[in-house]
């Protein structure tokens, strides 16, 4: 009678009837679900050990944080949904004001000990979410987002026009496939669509798709169930093209255009060597980007090395042409000519001496050279000087006092033209082949 009176009073006050149990805590009390209840935490929650626990898993890509080719690590931020049935937990929502789901601290219940095979840091950093949901059927759902630092074998052959596929494999630590089955709850196209919607940050990379596959992994005579998610990403090449490929191409064009610089004098050689040095600085940057453990020589390395080799050849050609031209200028006052001049000078001296000696006059004596320099000799020195000047400024004109063209200058000119065309066509062919290979 007294309790009924109390119930009426509470109902009047707008409170729910004390006979009803509507708190979440009531469900925990009903289930005897507490932090230290070992029934729920110590063993796999099945009523028959022969029936494995099926864990449904979904993984979405949330961000691509870092991809390092050098160390072959792929660091995504992923979001994982886990769902499994706990046969020890169930209640009738009708008895609890229709509560069909309750969130409890994660450590109240058994959880599958899933790990990621490719993860290279301590596992306890992942699956840290403090709560999980239980439905009245006993379906437990857990979701968590975390960073995975995974190893990923990257193929940089086509860098920077490459596509990388990195795996993230979920596997249980101790439960073999007799106890624990892993199942994807969504198909690949669904996961890809979901990831595209969630994706926050991609950086240098474009997300392509996620595929999921179930795999059995055999170890020490036992079999494990695993779920392999393959994330495919594609590099955005613009940055590398702008900062690396184009500058090298520009240097190559500069080298090609340097054929217009005159071969005489040292400017051409200096210019070419400077361009070559600039390329070798860029090669150092490449060394920073690419991993040293590539099986195949990456195309970008080929690009650099071959262009470097082309430019080296062009420097060598310039040196050769310069050498030939120098030979011309040295060869032009040939020893033969010099001898004739010497003789001429000697003859002059003697003839002067002849003129001078018979007269014996003082004027004649003064006209004779004091230090043995005759007019012929002076003339010869002037001619010599003129010849060097002429040799320096116009190598392509005819030799001194003769009508025959300079032999070496002509050869050098031919080498120059032939080399330029050969160089130009090899460069074009090489770039074309490389481009085809790169975009294949
Ligand atoms: C609830 O669990 C505790 C151990 O955590 C146990 O001592 C107690 O007897 C259980 N109560 C019921 C009603 O099962
Ligand atoms: C993937 O799953 C979604 C819903 O989960 C479904 O609509 C779609 O048809 C499935 N696609 C394939 C290829 O099975
Ligand atoms: C994902 O992308 C890769 C590479 O583009 C392709 O080979 C594969 O078929 C794609 N998978 C799906 C499910 O679309």
């Amino acid at each position: 009678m007294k309790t009924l009176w109390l119930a009426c009073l509470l109902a009047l006050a707008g409170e729910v009837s004390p006979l009803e149990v509507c708190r979440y805590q009531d469900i925990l009390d009903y289930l005897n679900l507490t932090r230290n209840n070992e029934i729920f935490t110590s063993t796999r929650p099945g009523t028959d050990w022969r029936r494995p626990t099926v864990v449904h898993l979904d993984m979405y890509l949330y961000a691509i944080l870092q991809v390092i080719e050098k160390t072959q690590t792929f660091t995504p931020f992923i979001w994982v949904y886990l769902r499994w049935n706990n046969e020890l937990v169930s209640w009738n929502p009708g008895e609890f004001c229709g509560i069909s789901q309750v969130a409890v601290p994660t450590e109240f219940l058994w959880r599958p000990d899933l790990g990621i095979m490719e993860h290279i840091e301590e596992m306890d950093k992942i699956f840290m979410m403090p709560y999980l949901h239980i439905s009245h059927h006993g379906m437990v759902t857990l979701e968590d987002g975390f960073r995975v630092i995974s190893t990923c074998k990257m193929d940089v052959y086509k860098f920077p026009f490459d596509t990388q596929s990195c795996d993230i494999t979920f596997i249980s630590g101790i439960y073999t496939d007799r106890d624990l089955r892993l199942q994807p709850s969504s198909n690949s196209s669904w996961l890809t669509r979901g990831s595209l919607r969630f994706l926050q940050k991609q950086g240098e990379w474009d997300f392509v798709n996620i595929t999921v596959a179930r795999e059995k992994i055999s170890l020490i005579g036992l079999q494990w169930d695993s779920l392999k998610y393959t994330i495919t990403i594609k590099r955005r090449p613009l940055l590398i093209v702008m900062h690396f490929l184009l500058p090298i191409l520009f240097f190559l064009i500069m080298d090609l255009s340097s054929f217009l610089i005159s071969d005489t004098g040292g400017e051409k050689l200096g210019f070419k060597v400077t361009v070559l040095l600039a390329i070798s600085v860029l090669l150092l940057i490449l060394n920073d980007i690419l991993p040293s453990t590539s099986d195949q020589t990456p195309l970008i390395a080929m690009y650099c090395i071959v262009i470097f080799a082309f430019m080296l050849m062009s420097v060598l050609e310039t040196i050769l042409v310069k050498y030939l031209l120098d030979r011309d200028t040295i060869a032009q006052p040939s020893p033969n000519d010099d001898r004739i001049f010497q003789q001429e000078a000697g003859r002059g001296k003697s003839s002067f001496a002849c003129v001078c000696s018979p007269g014996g006059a003082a004027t004649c004596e003064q006209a004779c050279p004091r230090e043995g320099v005759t007019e012929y000799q002076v003339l010869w020195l002037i001619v010599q000087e003129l010849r060097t000047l002429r040799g320096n400024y116009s190598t392509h004109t005819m030799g001194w006092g003769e009508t025959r063209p300079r032999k070496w200058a002509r050869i050098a000119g031919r080498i120059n033209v032939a080399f330029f065309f050969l160089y130009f066509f090899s460069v074009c062919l090489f770039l074309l082949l490389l481009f085809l290979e790169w975009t294949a």
Side-chain angles (χ1 to χ4, degrees):
M1 187 67 191
K2 203 169 183 183
T3 49
L4 197 70
W5 172 235
L6 205 71
C8 279
L9 207 69
L10 283 170
L12 277 176
E15 295 282 323
V16 286
S17 158
L19 297 177
E20 279 192 278
V21 277
C22 294
R23 297 176 307 157
Y24 286 131
Q25 185 60 45
D26 294 327
I27 291 173
L28 301 196
D29 290 343
Y30 167 76
L31 297 169
N32 198 10
L33 191 58
T34 58
R35 190 173 299 270
N36 301 316
N37 197 342
E38 288 180 350
I39 293 171
F40 291 107
T41 54
S42 51
T43 54
R44 185 166 68 81
T47 46
D48 183 347
W49 74 275
R50 287 166 295 192
R51 220 170 35 236
T53 299
V54 180
V55 176
H56 294 268
L57 200 150
D58 257 359
M59 189 200 87
Y60 295 96
L61 184 68
Y62 207 72
I64 300 166
L65 299 179
Q66 206 173 34
V67 180
I68 308 176
E69 296 83 8
K70 188 96 182 153
T71 54
Q72 308 249 324
T73 51
F74 171 58
T75 313
F77 191 91
I78 59 172
W79 203 266
V80 172
Y81 294 86
L82 286 174
R83 182 159 57 86
W84 68 90
N85 201 26
N86 190 324
E87 295 172 16
L88 308 179
V89 177
S90 68
W91 68 89
N92 180 2
E95 293 171 24
F96 296 93
C97 306
I99 295 175
S100 63
Q101 209 181 47
V102 57
V104 297
T106 318
E107 60 272 18
F108 276 25
L109 285 172
W110 174 91
R111 279 162 296 148
D113 59 336
L114 290 187
I116 293 169
M117 276 171 77
E118 289 84 5
H119 190 61
I120 46 173
E121 300 232 318
E122 305 98 279
M123 266 308 167
D124 53 337
K125 295 261 173 70
I126 68 175
F127 292 117
M128 291 290 282
M129 218 57 162
Y131 289 97
L132 45 73
H133 277 102
I134 328 172
S135 77
H136 67 279
H137 301 299
M139 189 57 77
V140 184
T141 49
L142 171 65
E143 55 183 88
D144 200 356
F146 47 85
R147 191 177 58 152
V148 182
I149 301 166
S150 69
T151 57
C152 174
K153 193 160 165 31
M154 293 178 210
D155 181 11
V156 289
Y157 177 65
K158 287 193 173 174
F159 177 90
F161 302 99
D162 52 339
T163 302
Q164 304 293 349
S165 289
C166 293
D167 293 338
I168 290 185
T169 311
F170 288 89
I171 189 171
S172 163
I174 59 155
Y175 295 107
T176 59
D177 63 348
R178 280 184 69 110
D179 285 317
L180 196 138
R181 292 270 161 81
L182 281 175
Q183 284 264 345
S185 44
S186 305
N187 55 31
S188 301
S189 56
W190 189 258
L191 292 178
T192 302
R193 256 199 292 166
S195 297
L196 278 173
R197 212 174 53 233
F198 289 139
L199 207 58
Q200 300 290 313
K201 173 180 178 288
Q202 312 189 59
E204 196 196 339
W205 297 85
D206 263 332
F207 167 72
V208 178
N209 65 25
I210 295 189
T211 57
V212 55
R214 272 185 77 187
E215 278 185 1
K216 297 260 183 221
I217 293 178
S218 295
L219 271 180
I220 50 169
L222 297 170
Q223 268 202 335
W224 272 262
D225 238 14
S226 75
L227 272 191
K228 184 156 100 182
Y229 288 86
T230 306
I231 299 174
T232 307
I233 52 177
K234 194 171 188 319
R235 191 191 303 272
R236 291 180 180 153
L238 192 66
L239 206 70
I240 306 278
V241 169
M242 297 276 285
H243 285 92
F244 197 84
L245 298 183
L246 280 184
I248 288 188
L249 199 65
F250 292 158
F251 282 129
L252 185 69
I253 292 170
M254 272 163 90
D255 192 61
L256 274 169
S257 66
S258 74
F259 277 91
L260 296 176
I261 302 176
S262 150
D263 276 305
T264 52
E267 305 101 67
K268 187 172 178 182
L269 192 61
F271 182 83
K272 289 198 172 206
V273 169
T274 312
V275 171
L276 201 66
L277 283 180
I279 290 239
S280 47
V281 171
L282 282 175
L283 286 186
L284 284 183
I285 301 173
L286 184 69
N287 190 38
D288 269 355
I289 305 170
L290 292 185
S292 43
T293 54
S294 293
D295 304 332
Q296 239 174 336
T297 314
L299 286 177
I300 192 166
M302 199 105 90
Y303 172 80
C304 294
I305 291 300
V306 172
I307 285 184
F308 194 81
F310 272 135
M311 289 167 117
L312 190 73
M313 301 270 281
S314 108
V315 167
L316 291 180
E317 191 264 351
T318 309
I319 291 173
L320 177 71
V321 165
K322 186 88 178 65
Y323 168 75
L324 291 181
L325 292 178
D326 284 350
R327 245 185 100 120
D328 231 6
T329 41
I330 293 163
Q332 194 223 329
S334 66
N336 226 8
D337 292 350
D338 279 351
R339 207 147 25 93
I340 291 165
F341 266 95
Q342 297 282 13
Q343 279 171 358
E344 201 78 7
R347 232 164 7 112
K349 191 179 186 177
S350 60
S351 69
F352 259 94
C354 276
V355 171
C356 277
S357 46
T363 49
C364 213
E365 197 67 44
Q366 258 170 358
C368 278
R370 293 220 176 91
E371 278 112 37
V373 182
T374 63
E375 281 159 358
Y376 264 115
Q377 279 171 319
V378 171
L379 201 62
W380 181 68
L381 283 173
I382 291 169
V383 162
Q384 190 95 341
E385 200 62 32
L386 272 175
R387 266 194 322 215
T388 12
L389 281 176
R390 200 165 171 163
N392 274 350
Y393 286 103
S394 58
T395 39
H396 293 285
T397 52
M398 303 299 160
W400 167 256
E402 344 169 61
T403 47
R404 99 185 141 84
R406 290 182 184 180
K407 190 170 113 210
W408 294 115
R410 259 193 340 198
I411 293 176
R414 280 197 203 129
I415 289 179
N416 245 349
V417 171
F419 184 82
F420 176 77
F421 282 108
L422 194 68
Y423 186 41
F424 185 75
F425 284 114
S426 336
V427 163
C428 287
L429 190 68
F430 168 71
L431 288 181
L432 182 74
L433 287 180
L434 199 71
F435 179 77
L436 289 180
E437 178 75 21
W438 233 324
T439 53

